[in-house]
Amino acid sequence: WRARAAAAPAAPQLRNRAPAPVQDRDDARSIPVPAQHWSGPADAAVEVEVRVLGPVEVRGSPGRLTGKSIELVAYLALHPDGAHEDQIRAALWPDRPLSPNSWATRVSITRRALGRGSDGHPRLTRFRDHVGRLTSEVRVDLDTLAAALAHPDDAGGLHAALTLVRGRPFDAPRGFEWAHRESHITRAERLVVDAAHQLSTLALAVGDSSQAQWAIERGLCACPDSEILSQDRRRAFTAAGGGGEPPASRRDSSDDLGGDTERRDTIALYELLHRREPSDPR
């Protein structure tokens, strides 16, 4: 079946087709699975990625970002419309006031490390009217996950987005109290659980318990206490022919959860089956 799936033509991108709604989260039969392919946000200008779905880091910046500079970039990435410098300083330094000189130095160091975009302008803009923002060439992985969930019937897109999950959201040795206060962590956990639940449901609908278990374990490495994913895990274990309770979760070994050839073959088969049966009412 892998050979047949690999030989099938790639499904076209369906940019204008609205995904059918999920009628019942716990009933796989109520979830339509039309043929659809999603390749992620197509934006060649994006060069820097802020990663918060696990240990916080910034990928792609020409300079080295550390400490509060990483936190400053993450804060602005999660406030795409910009944030006033007083708001930023109160969030990142809640227990002590920061002197104007220290603030100016921090912004300058961070701006240099982020570098300039394709238009020659700094990716961290100048603070006009005391408001700073990042350019569109900086993206946060959380937005990529949200974009995948906008296409809930696309197994390939959900799989690709879940590979971004590396552990508990906003994992950092210090700082990021604002991520709790502003509910960014709650939102990140909800998006991860929704994506993992949806992909596992789609996979079980076509009898692919292996893909379902992968999605669930990826979700559990970020949200180990999720009751929804625990229930999904029991269903996937039963579908795989297991009896009793599933074995201990691998959610603490997130490095072992990455995509591989077998997973891609599974997705190819999934899409091949549903291209052949576009009127499947499931």
Side-chain angles (χ1 to χ4, degrees):
W1 62 262
R2 291 182 181 174
R4 292 196 301 273
Q13 292 191 9
L14 303 179
R15 296 182 181 274
N16 299 319
R17 179 178 297 178
V22 177
Q23 299 173 7
D24 185 340
R25 294 173 64 91
D26 294 321
D27 185 356
R29 292 171 301 175
S30 68
I31 298 178
V33 280
Q36 186 164 321
H37 178 74
W38 182 89
S39 59
D43 187 352
V46 174
E47 298 177 4
V48 177
E49 182 183 45
V50 182
R51 309 183 76 191
V52 300
L53 295 172
V56 182
E57 60 185 19
V58 179
R59 291 285 186 91
S61 62
R64 184 169 178 263
L65 289 159
T66 60
K68 286 297 181 182
S69 289
I70 292 178
E71 193 171 357
L72 173 57
V73 173
Y75 190 88
L76 288 172
L78 290 161
H79 296 81
D81 294 329
H84 194 280
E85 64 179 42
D86 291 343
Q87 173 186 345
I88 301 171
R89 290 162 66 175
L92 272 62
W93 292 272
D95 300 326
R96 61 184 176 88
L98 194 67
S99 71
N101 285 340
S102 295
W103 166 249
T105 299
R106 176 58 58 188
V107 170
S108 178
I109 291 172
T110 305
R111 181 177 290 117
R112 285 199 303 270
L114 271 183
R116 296 178 179 271
S118 57
D119 59 1
H121 296 297
R123 294 190 178 99
L124 170 54
T125 66
R126 302 292 176 182
F127 277 68
R128 294 185 176 88
D129 298 323
H130 304 282
V131 174
R133 57 179 55 85
L134 301 175
T135 69
S136 61
E137 294 189 9
V138 182
R139 173 168 289 148
V140 61
D141 57 1
L142 196 57
D143 289 343
T144 303
L145 185 59
L149 278 166
H151 302 269
D153 300 311
D154 178 10
L158 291 169
H159 178 97
L162 282 171
T163 62
L164 299 174
V165 179
R166 297 165 294 113
R168 290 181 180 253
F170 294 89
D171 183 8
R174 63 183 64 86
F176 291 91
E177 293 88 354
W178 54 268
H180 286 279
R181 291 194 302 268
E182 298 182 8
S183 299
H184 296 294
I185 292 177
T186 299
R187 175 175 178 257
E189 291 176 343
R190 175 177 55 80
L191 289 175
V192 170
V193 169
D194 285 352
H197 171 76
Q198 180 66 4
L199 180 55
S200 67
T201 303
L202 291 174
L204 288 177
V206 294
D208 186 355
S209 59
S210 177
Q211 172 72 357
Q213 289 171 341
W214 177 88
I216 294 161
E217 294 297 337
R218 179 66 70 169
L220 286 172
C221 84
C223 309
D225 299 324
S226 170
E227 182 59 31
I228 291 174
L229 294 182
S230 294
Q231 294 172 3
D232 287 343
R233 191 164 176 265
R234 286 191 287 271
R235 279 193 287 269
F237 182 69
T238 300
E245 287 295 314
S249 173
R250 293 184 294 119
R251 58 180 173 266
D252 292 329
S253 301
S254 57
D255 289 342
D256 296 330
L257 298 176
D260 53 26
T261 302
E262 181 178 355
R263 301 286 185 254
R264 290 191 293 272
D265 287 346
T266 293
I267 292 170
L269 175 62
Y270 170 88
E271 294 178 341
L272 173 64
L273 290 173
H274 291 287
R275 281 198 299 272
R276 290 177 174 175
E277 300 177 355
S279 60
D280 190 340
R282 284 182 295 180

